[in-house]
Amino acid sequence: MSLPAAVRLLRSTLRTQLLPVANLSSKPAKHVISGVDKTIAMTAFFVAILGPSGWVLSHLEDYKNKKD
């Protein structure tokens, strides 16, 4: 394949790429979420994600010394 043919192939592939379109909305939210609800949700996420990893890290020595 010659260089001009390779350049044409590269140009055609770059020219035909489709860009995804984001569905953005400028309307206000349908449901207003209070600060208390947001706090409860963030706390639940924090405990669900970081709780198990904290448990494992705090008991790491127990897992190392476990003799079966």
Side-chain angles (χ1 to χ4, degrees):
M1 182 183 275
S2 66
L3 184 60
V7 170
R8 264 186 277 132
L9 180 64
L10 182 62
R11 280 188 188 167
S12 67
T13 57
L14 290 176
R15 200 175 314 144
T16 59
Q17 286 182 349
L18 297 175
L19 296 176
V21 178
N23 294 325
L24 298 177
S25 175
S26 60
K27 298 176 187 176
K30 291 181 182 178
H31 305 285
V32 179
I33 300 174
S34 69
V36 174
D37 290 339
K38 291 178 187 177
T39 304
I40 291 171
M42 293 302 290
T43 303
F45 281 124
F46 175 78
V47 169
I49 294 171
L50 296 179
S53 60
W55 174 269
V56 169
L57 288 175
S58 66
H59 292 89
L60 197 57
E61 291 299 322
D62 297 337
Y63 295 133
K64 284 181 182 178
N65 297 331
K66 190 174 183 179
K67 296 177 183 176
D68 284 331

